[in-house]
Each structure stands twice: as C-alpha cells, then as structure tokens.
Amino acid sequence: MDDDGPDARAVLAQVHELRQVELAASAALLQQAARWADLHPAPEPSLAATYTERGKDSGKCLGGDGVPGVALDCVAELGAALGMSTTAGERLIGHALELRHRLPRLWSLVHEGRVAAWQARQVAERTLALSRDAAAFVDAQVAGVAGRIGHAQLERLVSAAVLRHMPEEAERRRLDAADRRCFQVEHDATGERHGLSDVFGRLDLPDALALDAAVAEGAHALGLLGSTDSLDARRARAVGDLARRQPALDLLTTEADQPGGGATVGRAAERVVLCVHLSAVALGRRHDGWGRVENTGTPVTAGQVRDWCGRPDARVTVKPVIDLTTDEAVEGYRIPAWMREAVALRDRTCVFPWCSRPAHPYQGGRRRDEEDEERGWSCDTDHIVAFAAGGPTSTDNLAPLCRTHHRLKTFAGWRYRVTGTRTYLWTSPHGWRYARTPDGGTTALDPPPPGRSLDGPGRAANGPPAVSRISPRSRPRRPRRDLASVTSSRGRSEAPPPF
C-alpha cells in the first residue's frame, strides 16, 4: 500500500459514514413514496395506476397480488418532484408498496440500514408477478442474504420460488421458453462489417454446452497448429470448421449406416457432463420436483432433466457422489483432483468478499480456453493456513480463490480465516473486516477503531503479517490418504509455488 498512515484510514472512515447517510436517505425516500400512495388510494380498481411499458399501458397494477391500488393521477406529481419520469415514478411507488406489503422482512432491513434501497427494489421488481406464497418465500430467503448477493443469485432465488410455489406457472414458462429457441445468422449486406456475419441464438443447455465444447476444442487445435490469431478469432474460425465437418447429410444417416450401428455423436458432445443436484424421487414426479444444474447454478424442473436425458443422442454420465460434509486429508502439499473438485463444489465460487467467479469449470456456463490452467479451472485452491506454516492439505484447510484474490492474499496484506460454519472472515490491509458466508453472500463487519490498522488476527498498523489460524474442526477427520494412490502427479516436486 502506498499510504498506510492516518490519512488513508480517515478516507475509508469518511467513505463509510457517507455510505450510511446514503442508505438512510434512500430508505426514507422509499418510505415517503409509500406514504404518498397511502394519501392517494384508487377510488375503484378501474382507476388504479398501472405500469407503462414502451409507452403503452400494460394493465399491470403497481404492486403484486394483495397490494392496494394507487390513484392514477398522483404518480406524475411525485415523479416530477423527484426529477424523474412518470414511468420511473410508477416503479418507485410500486417497489415501495411491494416491499412494505409483500416483502416485510426486506422492508425492515432497508430501514435498519442493512440493505440498500436499490438492492431491495431489484428484489421487488422480480416478485411483482409472483403469488403471495412465492413472494413470501423469496422474502424469507432473501432476508438472510440481501445486500450480500449478486443479480444472478437473486434470479435463482426467484426461479426457485416459482418452482416451489407455482409449479404450473413454472412449467408454462419452461414450455414458452422452449418455443423461443432460435439460431440466426445475419450476413453483412452493406459491407459495413467488412464481410463479417453476426450469429446469435438461444439453445437448450445441453446443446449449448456441446457447441461451446466443440468450439473450444477447435480453437485450441488451431492454436496448436500455429495460428497467431486471438482466442476469439480462433473460436470464430472453429465454428466454420465445425460446420464444414458436419454437413446436413450426416443428420439423415441412420444408426445402421454407422460403424457398429451407433449414432453419430461428436467428441465434444460426449464430453458434456450435466452436474444436476436432484433427488431420484424428484425425477419420478411430474411437476413438483426441482433441483439445480451445477454447470450454471440454474434451478430446473425434473421435467426439464427428463427431457434432456430422453433424447436419442443423450450421453448420460454418472459420476461418484462426493461427500461435501466430511473433512478429508492427504500427505504432502499437492492437492489431488478429487479434493479440488470437492472444495469447488462445496464453496461454488471464489471466497473473497463479493467475488462470484465460479470455482468449478462446470459452473457459471463458462467456456474453457487455454488461458485457464488445468483445463478450465479459473480458481486456485488455496491453503488457508499456509502449508509451510503447518497447515494441512485437507478440505477443511482449503478454499477456492481466483488468481487475482489469491495474489492479494499472498502479497497485498489481505488475511482470512474460516469458522466451523464455513464462513470466511477476511481482513483488509487497513483492518476492514468482511464475512463471506456459505450462501455466497458478503457482510461488511464493524470498521476498525481509529488509529489501528487491524482489530484481530492479521497485520498490525506497522507490524509484519500475522499467520491466520483455522478454527477447530467440528467434524471428525478421516484417515489421511496416500497421495500417490489418488493423483497422477507422482514424482513431481512437493514444494509449494510462490502463491
């Protein structure tokens, strides 16, 4: 850090104070928007204000089911007073009413200063079309993580609420989405794009994963053959190569025409693995079973999984179940593949505050490229207590960190430790502390006292870095495994890398 003195700490303290003022002001604005609505109730349902979408009346009330109507002529005045459009005023009032009437836990957190109003409004926007039960489910789930999760995690929570409480609606949405599958190619008709064409589409997840894998394979092969084009340019060339290798005639070839009577399936398709967290019982139900696809974190219905697996060309891979609740350990520094995968599946993302980089190559729908080490791993597996300082190579002492945050931890004075509940407690170089919880959310803890760089383990104001300590394990550890029996890295140096 260039400036570790009192001026830097004062700036951080002032930023924190201004943040609290901003939270209070935005919460008060929501409160006043709700009071404005209370002062102007709709005289009858037909005269209630509705949302305007693309300049037209949508017919949708400002709040969800159970929210009282608002007089049509009051919205524009509030918007004008705030210097915003009438459409923006509709959203503000609607979100305020949705929060107060149907998301009471989140409403309270906003006024306690624990959740920013804009974050609460994002939730309210997504629950407007939900039933009361589904909205209550979202409120209960989000209340524990609001302000600590990103947009993608919020979307998953809302999708889970629809699947759980509105199964018929979930199935209708799934079928509607299937009708929107498309694949289009727009050619350059004017020369403006210098002969390049735009390609875009919406595919089923297995098809998209297979296409992505095939394109990544082709781009990698072009690189091995000496191409100096950028990765994106090689991926574009690989799409053309893939099309030329798979003419339409191949699709009409019968299984009997293939050697051995098998169907034509590319190598990329065979490599696609859907990691689905779904019980066998749920797969036997018609509507009310749902789970999560590990590749993207997306909630899906059991019917969706059955459709994917029921295709003639489906290749279903059954992988051994990894127990994510027990501590495993090996001798030496090197981390075997099974242990790295267990840690990635357990924590799902880099565990640095507010980082959401997927820890596993299957997660996040990421494409694989050669810039990622070890076939797509975008996160390192870090020894929380350094191996050189006595930290074991065990699942309890390992956590995924993306390369950027791994370097911050190693070289820039960031420190962290883990509790028995798998919450990661981080401390910045200036002593600001954050808790990264198992749900992927981040909570900013109390700021450090004036005049100190750190309150707790880590680095003192002018002292050397201290070694973080892992909390006592709450679960019995299984016997250590012989590393040579579970990894192919025999004979390689056991010395840890610089980070």
Side-chain angles (χ1 to χ4, degrees):
M1 305 293 290
D2 294 334
D3 187 352
D4 233 7
D7 288 345
R9 292 193 293 274
V11 169
L12 287 175
Q14 182 67 18
V15 167
H16 178 73
E17 292 178 9
L18 291 172
R19 169 67 169 162
Q20 300 311 307
V21 172
E22 180 186 34
L23 288 174
S26 59
L29 181 58
L30 273 180
Q31 178 70 56
Q32 293 306 312
R35 290 185 62 187
W36 181 258
D38 293 340
L39 294 172
H40 300 86
E44 57 182 85
S46 62
L47 297 178
T50 54
Y51 283 118
T52 302
E53 295 179 353
R54 298 181 181 180
K56 297 181 180 180
D57 184 5
S58 68
K60 302 175 184 176
C61 293
L62 298 189
D65 182 28
V67 172
V70 182
L72 183 62
D73 58 356
C74 79
V75 177
E77 186 173 2
L78 180 67
L82 291 170
M84 61 176 59
S85 67
T86 300
T87 300
E90 292 170 354
R91 290 291 172 185
L92 175 62
I93 295 174
H95 294 163
L97 294 176
E98 179 76 4
L99 286 163
R100 190 178 68 180
H101 289 276
R102 305 209 319 156
L103 305 171
R105 294 181 180 88
L106 193 53
W107 175 259
S108 296
L109 292 175
V110 169
H111 292 285
E112 292 169 8
R114 296 167 58 188
V115 175
W118 68 267
Q119 292 171 318
R121 291 185 62 184
Q122 281 188 334
V123 180
E125 176 68 22
R126 295 295 290 115
T127 60
L128 289 170
L130 301 186
S131 67
R132 294 189 186 188
D133 288 341
F137 172 83
V138 172
D139 189 34
Q141 297 296 313
V142 171
V145 297
R148 302 186 287 113
I149 61 174
H151 179 73
Q153 290 167 293
L154 170 61
E155 292 294 326
R156 292 170 191 146
L157 277 176
V158 173
S159 296
V162 175
L163 289 168
R164 180 186 292 263
H165 295 282
M166 306 169 68
E168 294 81 8
E169 174 65 13
E171 184 67 8
R172 185 193 66 77
R173 292 184 182 186
R174 182 178 78 85
L175 296 176
D176 286 348
D179 289 339
R180 292 195 295 273
R181 286 173 295 183
C182 64
F183 192 84
Q184 301 179 20
V185 180
E186 287 189 356
H187 300 294
D188 182 12
T190 64
E192 181 183 4
R193 297 196 296 269
H194 306 286
L196 300 179
S197 299
D198 291 334
V199 182
F200 57 92
R202 181 176 288 114
L203 311 178
D204 280 323
L205 179 59
D207 294 338
L209 290 171
L211 177 61
D212 193 31
V215 171
E217 181 76 17
H220 181 66
L222 288 171
L224 294 178
L225 291 173
S227 174
T228 58
D229 290 338
S230 67
L231 175 62
D232 284 335
R234 282 184 280 122
R235 284 176 62 87
R237 283 185 56 190
V239 173
D241 292 340
L242 181 65
R244 283 184 285 273
R245 292 199 306 268
Q246 184 67 40
L249 181 61
D250 289 355
L251 300 176
L252 304 177
T253 304
T254 64
E255 292 189 8
D257 297 328
Q258 300 301 320
T264 301
V265 180
R267 288 181 300 158
E270 292 177 350
R271 279 202 310 272
V272 173
V273 179
L274 286 179
C275 298
V276 182
H277 296 254
L278 189 68
S279 69
V281 174
L283 281 172
R285 299 170 181 165
R286 181 169 181 79
H287 292 310
D288 56 346
W290 63 280
R292 187 182 77 244
V293 176
E294 190 67 55
N295 307 58
T296 60
T298 309
V300 294
T301 64
Q304 180 72 77
V305 178
R306 285 194 297 270
D307 285 352
W308 288 340
C309 294
R311 296 181 176 189
D313 61 344
R315 294 295 185 268
V316 180
T317 301
V318 179
K319 300 186 68 178
V321 175
I322 299 176
D323 188 349
L324 306 182
T325 63
T326 59
D327 180 28
E328 298 272 9
V330 297
E331 298 289 351
Y333 174 80
R334 293 288 177 184
I335 302 167
W338 63 266
M339 182 176 285
R340 184 177 193 179
E341 185 167 20
V343 170
L345 291 174
R346 179 194 65 203
D347 291 320
R348 295 186 54 76
T349 67
C350 168
V351 299
F352 192 82
W354 287 295
C355 185
S356 59
R357 187 168 183 82
H360 197 289
Y362 290 144
Q363 294 167 340
R366 297 182 60 258
R367 73 186 188 193
R368 194 196 74 212
D369 56 58
E370 59 269 30
E371 277 84 3
D372 285 333
E373 293 186 355
E374 298 185 29
R375 298 181 66 83
W377 290 90
S378 60
C379 284
D380 302 328
T381 305
D382 177 51
H383 285 74
I384 301 170
V385 178
F387 184 78
T393 301
S394 68
T395 51
D396 266 8
N397 191 43
L398 296 173
L401 291 179
C402 67
R403 183 56 55 87
T404 297
H405 295 136
H406 197 172
R407 286 172 172 157
L408 288 180
K409 178 252 185 178
T410 304
F411 301 118
W414 282 85
R415 292 292 179 266
Y416 76 124
R417 58 189 178 89
V418 64
T419 69
T421 59
R422 215 64 211 176
T423 294
Y424 297 93
L425 302 176
W426 283 88
T427 305
S428 77
H430 283 98
W432 291 74
R433 299 181 300 125
Y434 307 89
R436 177 63 181 256
T437 49
D439 53 36
T442 299
T443 299
L445 304 178
D446 293 336
R452 287 193 51 134
S453 172
L454 185 65
D455 181 17
R459 188 174 68 180
N462 297 302
V467 178
S468 60
R469 294 299 178 204
I470 193 169
S471 63
R473 294 176 175 82
S474 58
R475 300 185 301 269
R477 175 183 294 180
R478 297 183 181 180
R480 293 178 181 267
R481 299 186 181 184
D482 177 12
L483 184 60
S485 66
V486 293
T487 181
S488 60
S489 59
R490 246 176 292 185
R492 292 191 295 181
S493 171
E494 285 291 312
F499 55 85

